[in-house]
Amino acid sequence: MAIAAGDYVEDLFVHAKADLQIWGRCPGMVSLSGLVATEQPAAIFITDEAPGTTVRSLAITGPKRGLMTVAQDTLLERVWIHDTERQGIFATDLIGTSAGLTLRDSLVEKTVSTAVFVAGSAGVVERSVVRDTLELDGELGRGVYVDRSVRSDATEETASASLDLRSSVLRRNRAESLRIDGADATVEDVAIIDTFSQTIDGRGGMGITVTWHQETGARSSATISRTSISGSRGEGVLIVGSDVTMDAVVIEDTQPTVEGRFGRGMEAQGDPVSSVVTVSRSLIEDNVGAGALAGAAEMTFEDTIVRRTVPEPEGPFAGRFGFGLTAQASEDVTTLAKLTARRCSITDNHAAGVSIFGGEIIVEQTRVSHTSPNVGLYGDGVLVYNYRGAPSSGRVTQSIVADNERAGVAAFGTVVSLAETMLRCNAVDLNGEHTYDTPFDLVDEGANACGCDAPEMCRAASAALEPPEPPDAPEAP
């Protein structure tokens, strides 16, 4: 079906025809605006009896959703969806139709609440731009949202969801540019730029959120590669109760929320549902509070640079934190964290370069250097602390810990083992303190060296140092 040039103020209902092709001349010449006084939920509505529908080369706008589909294999190509008063695109499986949507070579802008919403369906977004999503009554403004849904029919079955997001740009959205909720997702070659907090309460602003589905308990699983996340608010990437693998990712310039809190590069929360995260060949820089935080979660970093994390600039915790990589146990210290840094460079951070507050830390073939104090205190390279009495341990092997302004390695009521490691030009190379009535133990496994000019045997000191406060995890979304 070819549509001639013009502005059409009407609804389009697609039904009882498979593989229909709807073509305009180009989005600048063909525009469809939905009607207000109809019950149709979108300007274009594609029913489950119209699988394989293609909409190409036209603009969609108007007083409701732009396009809604419950059909299989819907293709939107070279479309411009803009200035709607509800969601730009909604693909849903609420009636058990196994809906599927592909958005390609398109622009979705200035829609309301969520630009692209995939619920219980399979979604593909490629070579597209999603930007400037507007809030609904001061809330949301998401870019792309994929959600495992609960069907509305009597069976109350759940519908799985998936998303392939490739070669696209998400820019100037609110709350979250990308949210993955109980779904499987692949994100490749994507730029996520300037995500803002929502107006009503100043919360949100994450570039990417990956979370378990609280209605069904389903975990999310995401693979993120060759992607940059910059200018987010609060958290660049937030992972809750999910499994995430990241490779060749840049997370930078995360800013605090309007309340002056956080600004972390990334965070994984593992309580009450565990999170397992692996990051490789990536760059995490110029963030606030923490480059990365594992809150009762397991995080592994390989071949990654973490640098220039600064303390929170204002608010109730002004001047505090600024950790490079850090981890902590759950609030009740029943769920411990695990943090591994392997072949990494962790430099120019504050308070501690690599630290754990309840759990296990492993540092291998890694350089930790030039850690500065925050509020005039701390500045340790590697810090292991039995915070609130939580059992903690550390192992540092084949690494360089250098030029940190307080301790190279600091053990607070914990056991830390060292092997084949150089501790150079730290104010105190090895320091141990008793905390929570628990002694420290620094175990020399051999081939370690300390000192600034001429390397010599390492000797532990106890300089009455105080441990820094851990960066408590924010409330889960």
Side-chain angles (χ1 to χ4, degrees):
M1 182 174 72
I3 304 178
D7 295 328
Y8 298 89
V9 182
E10 58 185 272
D11 290 340
L12 180 58
F13 182 70
V14 183
H15 178 68
K17 184 173 178 60
D19 302 318
L20 178 65
Q21 305 278 315
I22 303 170
W23 285 51
R25 290 189 61 183
C26 75
M29 298 177 69
V30 180
S31 178
L32 178 67
S33 300
L35 297 170
V36 176
T38 67
E39 294 183 357
Q40 184 163 308
I44 299 178
F45 180 53
I46 303 171
T47 76
D48 60 313
E49 296 187 21
T53 298
T54 296
V55 179
R56 181 180 283 118
S57 299
L58 54 80
I60 306 170
T61 187
K64 47 191 170 185
R65 294 186 181 103
L67 181 142
M68 178 174 174
T69 180
V70 295
Q72 297 179 12
D73 303 322
T74 301
L75 171 63
L76 308 181
E77 191 169 48
R78 298 198 297 274
V79 299
W80 176 28
I81 301 178
H82 66 99
D83 296 284
T84 62
E85 294 186 12
R86 288 294 186 268
Q87 299 147 346
I89 300 168
F90 183 33
T92 178
D93 189 45
L94 291 179
I95 59 174
T97 56
S98 301
L101 168 76
T102 296
L103 175 70
R104 181 182 297 140
D105 299 324
S106 295
L107 171 61
V108 184
E109 63 177 345
K110 297 181 181 177
T111 58
V112 172
S113 180
T114 301
V116 180
F117 185 14
V118 178
S121 306
V124 177
V125 178
E126 56 188 9
R127 302 195 302 271
S128 293
V129 176
V130 178
R131 68 189 183 193
D132 298 316
T133 311
L134 305 176
E135 297 172 303
L136 179 63
D137 299 327
E139 294 184 285
L140 302 180
R142 291 179 178 134
V144 178
Y145 177 22
V146 57
D147 174 58
R148 183 187 187 96
S149 66
V150 179
R151 291 175 179 156
S152 60
D153 58 20
T155 65
E156 295 187 355
E157 294 178 352
T158 62
S160 61
S162 65
L163 174 70
D164 285 347
L165 175 62
R166 306 177 192 273
S167 305
S168 295
V169 176
L170 312 184
R171 188 167 195 168
R172 295 190 300 268
N173 300 293
R174 287 189 174 273
E176 296 150 319
S177 278
L178 171 61
R179 182 180 177 92
I180 302 161
D181 198 334
D184 297 330
T186 299
V187 180
E188 294 181 351
D189 303 300
V190 172
I192 299 176
I193 305 166
D194 293 337
T195 310
F196 303 110
S197 302
Q198 57 188 19
T199 302
I200 193 168
D201 57 7
R203 298 185 64 184
M206 285 74 76
I208 300 176
T209 297
V210 186
T211 184
W212 64 293
H213 194 261
Q214 295 190 16
E215 288 185 78
T216 64
R219 299 171 67 83
S220 287
S221 177
T223 300
I224 304 169
S225 59
R226 301 186 302 277
T227 290
S228 66
I229 303 107
S230 63
S232 306
R233 301 299 188 273
E235 310 273 354
V237 178
L238 176 61
I239 300 159
V240 183
S242 300
D243 304 306
V244 177
T245 300
M246 305 172 69
D247 179 65
V249 170
V250 176
I251 306 173
E252 61 184 354
D253 296 319
T254 312
Q255 301 298 310
T257 65
V258 293
E259 297 176 340
R261 289 305 323 274
F262 313 127
R264 298 164 181 157
M266 64 180 300
E267 176 180 347
Q269 296 181 17
D271 182 35
V273 180
S274 64
S275 288
V276 179
V277 180
T278 301
V279 180
S280 61
R281 301 189 305 164
S282 294
L283 173 63
I284 303 173
E285 66 176 359
D286 298 320
N287 299 293
V288 177
L293 166 64
E298 180 177 341
M299 300 185 79
T300 299
F301 295 84
E302 297 181 336
D303 306 297
T304 290
I305 296 171
V306 182
R307 65 189 180 194
R308 299 197 300 265
T309 315
V310 298
E312 294 189 11
E314 57 186 358
F317 298 97
R320 289 150 74 177
F321 313 132
F323 298 97
L325 298 179
T326 188
Q328 66 182 88
S330 59
E331 186 175 356
D332 60 5
V333 301
T334 59
T335 304
L336 302 181
K338 182 175 181 180
L339 178 62
T340 300
R342 186 175 293 119
R343 299 183 303 277
C344 293
S345 174
I346 303 165
T347 63
D348 297 298
N349 301 291
H350 289 74
V354 185
S355 55
I356 195 158
F357 300 82
E360 179 184 8
I361 191 170
I362 299 171
V363 180
E364 297 178 354
Q365 298 176 330
T366 289
R367 181 183 182 90
V368 185
S369 67
H370 296 94
T371 311
S372 299
N374 60 15
V375 293
L377 299 171
Y378 320 122
D380 303 326
V382 178
L383 180 144
V384 186
Y385 177 24
N386 67 333
Y387 178 64
R388 294 179 180 171
S392 302
S393 64
R395 179 174 172 81
V396 183
T397 60
Q398 297 179 327
S399 294
I400 297 173
V401 184
D403 300 297
N404 299 289
E405 293 200 27
R406 196 173 76 161
V409 174
F412 291 89
T414 62
V415 177
V416 180
S417 301
L418 298 97
E420 302 178 75
T421 291
M422 167 67 76
L423 293 97
R424 188 178 66 211
C425 298
N426 307 288
V428 180
D429 285 325
L430 285 176
N431 189 87
E433 306 290 345
H434 288 58
T435 55
Y436 292 100
D437 298 322
T438 304
F440 72 89
D441 190 7
L442 291 163
V443 180
D444 187 343
E445 296 185 352
N448 299 302
C450 292
C452 199
D453 297 321
E456 58 185 27
M457 181 181 297
C458 294
R459 295 178 176 83
S462 187
L465 303 182
E466 292 292 328
E469 298 171 289
D472 290 327
E475 182 181 345

